[in-house]
Amino acid sequence: WILMATAQTPTNIAVIKYWGKRDENLILPVNDSISVTLDPDHLCTTTTVAVSPSFDQDRMWLNGKEISLSGGRYQNCLREIRSRACDVEDKEKGIKIEKKDWEKLHLHIASYNNFPTAAGLASSAAGFACLVFSLAKLMNLKENQSQLSAIARQGSGSACRSLFGGFVKWIMGKEDNGSDSLAVQLVDEEHWNELVIIIAVVSSRQKETSSTSGMRESVQTSLLLQHRAKEIVPKRVVQMEKAIQNRDFPSFAQLTCADSNQFHAVCLDSSPPIFYMNDTSHRIISYVEKWNRSEGSPQVAYTFDAGPNAVLIARNRKVAAQLLQKLLFFFPPNSDTDLNSYVLGDNSI
Ligand code: DP6
């Protein structure tokens, strides 16, 4: 016999960034973060997990290619889930798995991204969230979404925020064992559904410094990171929650842009400095800043993760359409810039 479960999970984009760990093994952050989860139609991972007595080892395929599960992050997630597995019964198929059987049974996992991995867009967030959620379904875990988010966190920090739609906060927690470092939903996907997210793919090259090693270098060398985590982010998180509750776009945009810029300032303050944005990224920032100023109040927010691609959040569909037109005019595909494609997240949250 074989028993399967499938789940689909969108990626999320941080508007208050997570950058820096206080525990690298458990993936515990130095500050809270807030993100918006994208619409699953655009950037998402679909994962099918299967169990069968005929499987002789745990195996995983990503976009059709087998990958190793020996890394600590996969092992931590699998161990945490197995230890919480419950009895499962499928009367139709005559299958009964008892709690104690899960330790001996092996899993096959097949995961697909609906966007090219080569596009340089974050995939680990959706990937680990989807892995944890699909396994929790298969093994009948009784944990709620926040408790599951604390398991996904051990795969990749940002993954914990993809267990919910809408706007999500990852509470950093205080406990050494990480039990209180988990995600909660601030508002659901209907709360602010006029926002539209456009991702301008500036470069599809793999980033040179991974988030994991970049944040390690920042924690070890950047004084600005310490100041940001202690003095800036706690206040900013409160202001951001208020802006989201009130659907206050000017405050939301100001905080989002400022936080992205400070995250990249921390990268520059690291030794050796880390450059994630390129000239095209900088030109997009200048362009959006100028446009927002000429309109008298912000129409678009920008944020950049550990790479040069711009995530642009427009206040409504009309602004998004104008933005797309302007981007195509100022940064035509295949021009001397390497801004080569756009992914439009229509009504993306
Ligand atoms: C810049 O979650 O990819 O996107 O926990 O080491 O897997 P690990 O890092 P990851 O870092 C994401 C960093 C970021 C900001 C954010 O998503 O909050």
Side-chain angles (χ1 to χ4, degrees):
W1 54 263
I2 183 165
L3 206 59
M4 296 199 279
T6 296
Q8 197 174 61
T9 312
T11 196
N12 71 79
I13 305 287
V15 291
I16 301 291
K17 304 292 185 195
Y18 145 55
W19 195 251
K21 298 181 182 75
R22 63 178 201 280
D23 183 316
E24 287 218 8
N25 180 42
L26 289 171
I27 311 197
L28 300 177
V30 295
N31 58 258
D32 291 348
S33 55
I34 295 179
S35 61
V36 53
T37 299
L38 300 190
D39 182 326
D41 295 345
H42 298 287
L43 300 176
C44 79
T45 301
T46 305
T47 300
T48 297
V49 289
V51 62
S52 164
S54 66
F55 296 163
D56 59 357
Q57 55 173 315
D58 291 341
R59 294 175 73 182
M60 177 163 177
W61 292 262
L62 179 59
N63 297 326
K65 217 177 132 211
E66 185 158 12
I67 60 161
S68 164
L69 281 173
S70 64
R73 290 171 172 224
Y74 281 112
Q75 288 304 317
N76 287 350
C77 287
L78 290 173
R79 190 194 57 244
E80 292 293 315
I81 291 172
R82 276 202 169 94
S83 72
R84 292 169 173 81
C86 296
D87 294 352
V88 173
E89 190 169 7
D90 187 326
K91 286 205 174 105
E92 244 169 60
K93 291 185 179 163
I95 301 170
K96 195 163 181 214
I97 306 173
E98 284 182 32
K99 194 175 165 63
K100 62 173 174 30
D101 299 334
W102 285 110
E103 289 298 328
K104 300 187 295 270
L105 286 165
H106 291 286
L107 301 160
H108 281 188
I109 302 161
S111 198
Y112 286 91
N113 295 325
N114 73 344
F115 52 96
T117 312
L121 299 166
S123 59
S124 68
F128 276 103
C130 204
L131 175 71
V132 167
F133 190 77
S134 53
L135 287 174
K137 285 277 160 264
L138 181 75
M139 300 186 181
N140 196 17
L141 266 66
K142 301 288 186 269
E143 275 67 16
N144 64 29
Q145 298 287 97
S146 281
Q147 289 163 328
L148 292 181
S149 80
I151 304 177
R153 187 202 75 228
Q154 297 177 54
S156 181
S158 52
C160 74
R161 299 183 309 233
S162 270
L163 265 294
F164 296 96
F167 281 94
V168 183
K169 175 172 160 182
W170 174 9
I171 300 168
M172 64 180 284
K174 289 190 182 69
E175 301 295 334
D176 286 343
N177 67 7
S179 57
D180 57 351
S181 184
L182 40 78
V184 293
Q185 187 178 53
L186 294 176
V187 295
D188 70 14
E189 46 277 34
E190 294 306 319
H191 173 77
W192 203 354
N193 60 9
E194 52 283 24
L195 296 183
V196 178
I197 298 178
I198 291 174
I199 300 179
V201 180
V202 170
S203 166
S204 56
R205 278 192 292 273
Q206 282 297 104
K207 54 194 172 200
E208 275 165 37
T209 312
S210 71
S211 313
T212 307
S213 61
M215 64 179 89
R216 182 182 305 134
E217 284 164 26
S218 296
V219 167
Q220 287 167 355
T221 61
S222 169
L223 288 176
L224 180 57
L225 179 139
Q226 310 297 335
H227 176 68
R228 164 179 164 76
K230 284 201 192 73
E231 307 295 335
I232 307 285
V233 176
K235 292 185 195 120
R236 227 173 235 172
V237 162
V238 174
Q239 293 167 333
M240 182 59 97
E241 282 189 55
K242 202 168 140 209
I244 292 168
Q245 289 295 347
N246 297 335
R247 291 188 284 263
D248 170 359
F249 191 80
S251 304
F252 170 79
Q254 189 269 326
L255 291 163
T256 299
C257 300
D259 202 71
S260 170
N261 290 333
Q262 188 175 67
F263 151 51
H264 290 277
V266 166
C267 293
L268 277 183
D269 189 49
S270 306
S271 177
I274 308 161
F275 309 104
Y276 284 126
M277 293 194 285
N278 65 17
D279 283 354
T280 309
S281 320
H282 292 144
R283 283 177 56 206
I284 293 174
I285 293 180
S286 303
Y287 181 72
V288 171
E289 290 281 352
K290 223 185 283 163
W291 188 22
N292 282 342
R293 262 198 310 280
S294 74
E295 292 287 327
S297 84
Q299 304 296 309
V300 176
Y302 56 81
T303 186
F304 294 75
D305 281 333
N309 299 327
V311 177
L312 302 163
I313 308 176
R315 69 183 308 164
N316 56 39
R317 291 175 74 89
K318 198 172 148 219
V319 170
Q322 284 171 354
L323 174 66
L324 203 59
Q325 246 178 12
K326 286 172 196 275
L327 282 172
L328 287 166
F329 180 75
F330 286 106
F331 305 94
N334 303 321
S335 67
D336 54 337
T337 74
D338 56 356
L339 189 72
N340 52 29
S341 60
Y342 299 90
V343 180
L344 176 60
D346 181 12
N347 206 4
S348 291
I349 65 168

